Each structure stands twice: as C-alpha cells, then as structure tokens.
Amino acid sequence: TMERVLAPPLLSRSVHALRKNRTMSEGKMKLMVLLLTFMSYTLFHATRKPPSVVKSVLKGGKELSGGKKSAGWAPFNGDRGDVLLGNVDSAFLLTYAVGMFFAGRIADAANLRVFLSIGMMGTGIFTVLVGMAYFWNIHSYSYFIIMQVMAGLFQSTGWPSVVAVMGNWFTGKRGLIMGIWNAHTSTGNILGAVVAAAVLSPPWGWGWSFVLPGWMMIMGAVLVYGFLIPAPEHEEDHDRIQMVHLRSAARLDTPDYREYDDAKGNIHKKPSEKQKPVGIGMALRIPGVLAYAFCLFFCKLVAYTFLYWLPYYINQESIGGRHLSPTESAQVSVIFDIGGVVGGIMAGHLSDQFQARGLVSAIFLYASILMLYMYKSFGTISLTVNIVLMAISGAFVNGPYALITTAVSADLGTHESVHGSARALATVTAIIDGMGSLGACVGPSLTGYLAEYSWEAVFLMLYLSAFTAAVLLTGLVFSDIRAIHERSKTSQQNGHVSSMQELGEMETRTLLGSDTD
C-alpha cells in the first residue's frame, strides 16, 4: 500500500528513536543529514559527467598509433557529430530544467525522503541504459535522446529536495556551511570523470563509463531511503511536549502532522499554518528571486559548458606541442572542479563575513571573465600553465554558481515575506535553479554549433554570459554596499556611545574617590 511505501524503514525509525532517547545528539543528526545529502548530490553529478568524457570517443577521427583514425560510434562519428552530441546534452538539460519547476512544487508538499530516493533510483537506471547501448550495439539517435530525456526528468527531483532538507536542518549564517556542502557538485564531477575515464579504454569500453556511475547511484538511493530524516523533530519544550501518537506511518517524516499531549494529558495537533507550501506566484514576489534566477541562467550556461565540453576541448587543442588522449583529457579536466570546490567555499565565507551575497557573486563573475580569457589565450603554452589557469578559472566560475544555488536559495526560501516558512524552500530553489538549468541547456547546445566554426566563438559566448550575469546583480550589489555602509556607521555610533559611557563612569568613580578623601 501507499502507506507502506511512505513509511520510514526500520533504519530511519531507529535513528528517530536514538534522537528521542538522547542517544544521538542534534549535532550528530545534522552531520548524518549533511553527509547523506552530500553523497546524494555527488552521485547526481557523477552521473552527469560521463557524456563529456566519452564525447571524443563517440566522435572518433583522432589519430591512433600506426596512422589509423578512431572509428567513433554512429551516429555521432559523422560530419555533424558535434551538433548531434550537443543535441543529446540539450535533451537531458531541457527536460531537467522544465522538470525542476514542477519538482520544486511537489517536493514542498511531498515526503522528501521518498521523493529523493525515487529520483536517485530512476536516474541510476536510465544512466545504466545509456551505457547499455554499447553492449547491445545500439546506434539509434532516438534511443540516446529518449534515455537522456528520462534521466533528466528524474535528475530534476534532486536539487530541490536536498536544499529543502538542508534548509530544514541548518539556519542562520549558511554561506560557509553551504559553500563547503556545495563541494558535492565538483566532487561529483571529479568522481564521474575519474570513474568514466578509468573504464573508457580497452578492455573495457565507453559503455562502462555510464554503467558504473549508474549502479553507484542506485546503491546511493537505497542508503537515502534507509537513513535520511528530512526535518528535525520539533522539541521546543522537552518537559511539556512529547510524541505520543502518529495517525499513520506515512506521516512520520512530515512534522506538521505530529500530535503531542500537554501537561494535563490533552491531545493537540501540531499547528501547521507555517508549513503550507507557497505558490509559484508568491515565491516570484520574494525580493531578489527573479534577479538571482536570471543571473543563474548565465552562470550555469558558463559552468555547464565546461562540464559537458571541457574534456573534449582539451582533447582537441595542442597543449605544449602535443594532443592529450581522451583518458588524459578527462583526468586533467578535474582540475577545473577542484578549483570550483575552493571557489565555492571562498564565496560562501566572504558572503557570510560581509553579509553581501550579491556583491561577492558579482566580483567573482567579473574576475571570471579575465580568467577565462587568460585560459583561452595562454592555456596551450604548457600543461602546467593550462592546469594553473584552469584551476583559477574554476574557482571564479563555480563560486557564484555555488553561492546562488545554496545559501542564496536557502535565504530567499525562508524570507520574511513568506513568514520564514521552510516549505517555500524547494519552490524557491526550483525557480532559481530551474531558470539556471535553462541556461545550462543553452550553453552546451550552442557550443555544439559554435565549435564547428571555432573555439574562439565559444569563449566569446562565455565572456558575454559572465558579464551579463554580473550586470543582472547590479541592483543587489548597490543594496549590499548601502547595507555595509549602514552597518559600519551604526557600529561607529555604538562605539562612540560606549566610549562616552565609559568616560562618564570613570569621571563618576573619580568624583566618588575625591569625596571619600
């Protein structure tokens, strides 16, 4: 029955029992939630990475030993192979972007543990099926499109769910913790690239590059279903409020359905007015949502162009006088994501320090334009120069992307205009990241067309996108600057008042001492 599906398994109930009996502290519960959601989205990104790793193998045409050229894989080894590969990426990303808008609304009203587990399981299955084309000798363009469409649909459940869970557990200054937590994006990219590259060459084959990450995702879904608790128990007054009854096992993970008895033994239903999901219209009216949503469109356009095309670009360019193999290109490309981890943590820390998320994001975006230009212009000098510039570019590209999709979304999702309701989190997250995902769809798709002419055209698109993203934050930047100025002014006034009070107290003590004498 549906109640049995929604009911938390024995593992999850055991964790609840440990928490209730004070055996497991709140800190340990938070750590478990952080690790499970980190693992979950690491695997989501690991399953997105294989298409970029196998592109050069599917396209073929590269020089092999003995003067032969690699055959590639039909239908991607033809004259318009780049365009077809870009279209397959777009099929996934467009479905992901559209699904995101619906997934956020569903996640706000659904059992997040079950919803996230289903998304992970479906993603794993269809990732495996993409790889099975290698073993089943499938060359149908439609097959690849359909598999990627289904994978994108299930992938869209992930981000609204994990951000909503994190928002339920972590409040206050979230920039640094979310910046560290958001390392799952780059960690997943690295994991996916390493695993896919390790089995790309004989005796394996490109199919394993999808099959292994897919099975990892399926196993991760089992762990999330077994252990994840989406929200903390409401234990504001441990002496007077206690859990005594649940109408059905299906309601264990939704705090707004809990009942408790008061000191007189009367049964009360926990009020749920603040837990009602907000509509998309109300979410769009939250100050800053639209500005950050359109900004993220261009941020993810840049980030996902690198996600899907960087190994292929490295493979095509002569670096230090030689071309790297597909496996080497995939391995080198992880440096971009390592830089992204550092950039995400830096952006989160600085935004907490100065309480200026818009200002920090804009600074990173303007800096990314310079670094992308330097990477394109000087990255072919040597492999060392390429790696250094790639790492710095990754930091500035992924910094604002990480900040907006985590701390900013969590802040806006609990904005005072929605009375701090955490049930707005998934909807706001879906709006912002859904718009960003449309940009993620546009970038890789355009790259497939532009790369046929020149990589200079691709990088020009990236420069303009980063600049547009920064400009869209102009209003928020000025608001942040004014807020910093006001805080500084208030701090100085408070310091002046404090000094005057101390001076008055010293004079009083002096007079009292004189009277005593």
Side-chain angles (χ1 to χ4, degrees), residues 37-38 40-42 44-45 48 96 100 103-104 107 112 115-116 120 154-166 178 181-185 296 300 304 401-410 425-434 437:
T37 53
F38 186 95
S40 172
Y41 218 70
T42 292
F44 271 113
H45 262 264
R48 295 181 200 178
Y96 174 78
M100 184 75 72
L112 288 172
F115 189 63
L116 179 58
M120 294 178 69
F154 281 101
Q155 281 257 1
S156 67
T157 65
W159 190 242
S161 299
V162 294
V163 172
V165 172
M166 285 292 289
M178 286 294 202
W181 174 74
N182 195 64
H184 54 52
T185 299
L296 192 62
K300 290 192 76 168
Y304 270 66
Y401 163 36
L403 185 61
I404 294 171
T405 54
T406 54
V408 168
S409 294
L425 263 172
T427 300
V428 170
T429 299
I431 290 172
I432 293 177
D433 202 56
S437 297

Side-chain angles (χ1 to χ4, degrees), residues 92-119:
F92 169 88
L93 292 167
L94 182 59
T95 308
Y96 174 78
V98 174
M100 184 75 72
F101 291 101
F102 297 98
R105 183 77 175 118
I106 296 170
D108 272 335
N111 183 308
L112 288 172
R113 176 181 57 82
V114 175
F115 189 63
L116 179 58
S117 300
I118 291 173

Side-chain angles (χ1 to χ4, degrees), residues 295-376:
C295 172
L296 192 62
F297 176 95
F298 293 99
C299 286
K300 290 192 76 168
L301 187 155
V302 177
Y304 270 66
T305 297
F306 277 92
L307 173 65
Y308 279 90
W309 287 95
L310 182 57
Y312 183 78
Y313 168 73
I314 295 172
N315 176 254
Q316 295 294 307
E317 293 292 293
S318 175
I319 300 175
R322 78 182 188 94
H323 287 274
L324 301 182
S325 69
T327 299
E328 290 173 327
S329 299
Q331 292 169 343
V332 170
S333 70
V334 304
I335 301 299
F336 183 86
D337 293 298
I338 293 174
V341 173
V342 177
I345 295 173
M346 284 176 54
H349 174 68
L350 290 172
S351 70
D352 274 350
Q353 190 75 20
F354 296 100
Q355 299 177 42
R357 307 214 194 278
L359 177 60
V360 171
S361 297
I363 291 173
F364 270 65
L365 285 166
Y366 284 121
S368 72
I369 300 172
L370 174 62
M371 291 313 306
L372 289 175
Y373 174 78
M374 292 182 65
Y375 178 69
K376 178 64 183 74

Side-chain angles (χ1 to χ4, degrees), residues 290-306 365 368-369 372 396-398 400-401 404 432-444 446 460-473:
L290 284 175
Y292 279 116
F294 284 106
C295 172
L296 192 62
F297 176 95
F298 293 99
C299 286
K300 290 192 76 168
L301 187 155
V302 177
Y304 270 66
T305 297
F306 277 92
L365 285 166
S368 72
I369 300 172
L372 289 175
F396 285 113
V397 167
N398 283 346
Y401 163 36
I404 294 171
I432 293 177
D433 202 56
M435 183 61 70
S437 297
L438 290 175
C441 174
V442 171
L446 283 178
L460 179 60
M461 174 189 72
L462 300 179
Y463 306 150
L464 292 174
S465 297
F467 178 76
T468 304
V471 170
L472 286 167
L473 295 179

